[in-house]
Amino acid sequence: MNTPNLDALASWFTAKLPNENGLTIEPISGGQSNPTWFVTFGSKRMVLRKKPDGPILPGAHAVEREYQVMRALSKTDVPVPKALWLEEDTSILGTPFYVMERLEGRVFSDCSLPGVAADHRQDMYLSMARTMAQMHALRPEDIGLGDYGKPGNYFERQIGRWSRQYAKSQGPKIAALDYLIDWLPRNMPTGDNAVSIAHGDYRLGNLMFHPTKPRVIAVMDWELSTLGHPLADLGYCVMPWLTSPDEYGGILGTPWEHSGIPTMDRFITEYYAHARPTAQLDTFHVAFALFRFAVIFVGIADRARAGNAAARDASDLSPLAEKFANRAVEVIEAPHKVLR
């Protein structure tokens, strides 16, 4: 990722924090979307997140929405970093950006949680389930997010959105994705119009845990959030049990049964024990989640080819689009093997 204009950024921070001076920044690796940096200005330790440079799809990389939802959630018990400032003037860093507080904690990209005690692994996963249920229990209109998205017909709109994004890709077509684009609209559940704040990318790598305790202290990366269906998040969140370690850090095929990580059924049970009453997770929800993630990786591959991906390993992740699409087809064809 390109280093921001330090002189322009220092001047911007000076206007916000006139009693501080001295700017240092450090890129945060691991993200595949909006470039992010640790920022220190004088005694203040913060995080800056901006839209990527170069052409992007309409509505993508919406840092403005991230800022809006975190500001709203700061008034609730859902743990989020405090959003400090949003800057929409593109003359400063070339794209809009926002700044949030920097929290001290642990972030894990490997879902097997290496180096964590077995009992803490279980508690961390169950804290992850409870935090998601807590987020879904909020009434969006009660915290000023009643207009954060279109209520109702969530899956229909999402299938259409991601199908259109896939159609716009200049990369090679994927047979499994073409199959899913046909199957998903014909198998949407009916009569379930639950509406909640949907994170859109709720997974272990987007959570921060307490430095020593097995407890979620922050939910991060709200770029894909909207008003949506809670089971879209839950279906997405169970992917580690359905994907292998080389498929973005899954745990399928590993000895996780003996590592303290709860089973998928135990995780889902914990979620429902704390969730607002809703329908049961089924094949459609999981297949939809895998489909959407596959299209996200199509976009990552497109940005890698264009040379404006946020992470250096973006091109290495391109094959994951087909892998996740194939996993979705497997779930559809043999649901008893993965959903019990």
Side-chain angles (χ1 to χ4, degrees):
M1 68 180 77
N2 296 327
T3 302
N5 184 322
L6 298 186
D7 291 337
L9 190 58
S11 297
W12 187 86
F13 273 113
T14 298
K16 301 293 184 184
L17 300 166
N19 295 323
E20 303 283 351
N21 63 78
L23 172 69
T24 60
I25 68 170
E26 175 188 352
I28 301 174
S29 62
Q32 294 300 328
S33 186
N34 293 326
T36 309
W37 291 265
F38 288 132
V39 175
T40 301
F41 190 70
S43 63
K44 305 297 183 182
R45 289 159 53 82
M46 298 163 286
V47 174
L48 184 150
R49 192 162 159 86
K50 70 184 289 291
K51 289 188 179 184
D53 299 323
I56 58 175
L57 293 171
H61 308 282
V63 295
E64 303 90 343
R65 288 177 61 81
E66 290 189 53
Y67 179 82
Q68 178 188 359
V69 71
M70 288 198 300
R71 292 280 287 188
L73 290 172
S74 67
K75 305 169 188 175
T76 75
D77 292 332
V78 176
V80 292
K82 182 180 180 181
L84 300 173
W85 305 289
L86 170 68
E87 182 54 72
E88 298 180 275
D89 183 352
T90 60
S91 68
I92 298 167
L93 297 184
T95 66
F97 65 93
Y98 72 94
V99 177
M100 58 185 151
E101 68 175 343
R102 179 175 175 180
L103 299 176
E104 300 300 329
R106 296 174 292 167
V107 178
F108 298 90
S109 59
D110 187 336
C111 292
S112 66
L113 297 175
V116 176
D119 58 336
H120 275 208
R121 286 192 181 106
Q122 172 169 289
D123 290 343
M124 291 168 80
Y125 266 86
L126 298 183
S127 176
M128 180 181 180
R130 291 191 297 271
T131 301
M132 178 169 51
Q134 187 178 32
M135 173 183 68
H136 290 159
L138 294 172
R139 301 286 183 178
E141 61 273 15
D142 291 345
I143 59 171
L145 292 176
D147 60 351
Y148 193 61
K150 296 179 181 178
N153 300 322
Y154 174 76
F155 289 113
E156 180 181 353
R157 289 183 287 104
Q158 283 284 299
I159 292 167
R161 172 192 173 182
W162 294 106
S163 296
R164 288 190 297 272
Q165 290 216 17
Y166 170 61
K168 292 177 182 177
S169 171
Q170 299 300 308
K173 294 303 177 184
I174 298 171
L177 272 177
D178 294 331
Y179 171 85
L180 292 167
I181 287 172
D182 174 68
W183 185 91
L184 288 167
R186 293 188 291 102
N187 289 274
M188 283 188 295
T190 59
D192 181 9
N193 294 314
V195 176
S196 69
I197 298 168
H199 182 275
D201 196 10
Y202 193 92
R203 55 185 171 87
L204 189 76
N206 282 332
L207 303 178
M208 178 176 286
F209 291 86
H210 186 278
T212 59
K213 299 177 182 179
R215 173 171 55 86
V216 175
I217 64 168
V219 182
M220 305 177 293
D221 198 348
W222 291 86
E223 177 194 346
L224 298 176
S225 61
T226 188
L227 298 187
H229 199 292
L231 295 186
D233 277 342
L234 182 58
Y236 180 81
C237 203
V238 302
M239 286 198 300
W241 287 273
L242 307 175
T243 56
S244 61
D246 63 342
E247 295 170 340
Y248 217 56
I251 56 176
L252 182 67
T254 68
W256 54 268
E257 295 93 341
H258 310 294
S259 67
I261 295 175
T263 64
M264 182 170 67
D265 288 347
R266 176 70 181 90
F267 179 87
I268 293 172
T269 298
E270 185 73 8
Y271 170 82
Y272 277 103
H274 297 85
R276 208 166 65 199
T278 189
Q280 288 298 306
L281 187 74
D282 69 14
T283 301
F284 169 85
H285 303 113
V286 177
F288 165 77
L290 289 159
F291 157 75
R292 190 177 66 92
F293 208 39
V295 179
I296 289 172
F297 277 109
V298 169
I300 292 171
D302 288 344
R303 292 197 299 277
R305 282 190 293 269
N308 63 349
R312 294 178 181 177
D313 62 346
S315 60
D316 296 335
L317 296 173
S318 300
L320 291 182
E322 185 168 8
K323 288 186 177 181
F324 278 100
N326 287 335
R327 290 290 183 191
V329 175
E330 289 173 14
V331 168
I332 292 168
E333 294 180 344
H336 61 282
K337 292 184 179 180
V338 293
L339 293 172
R340 295 178 293 277

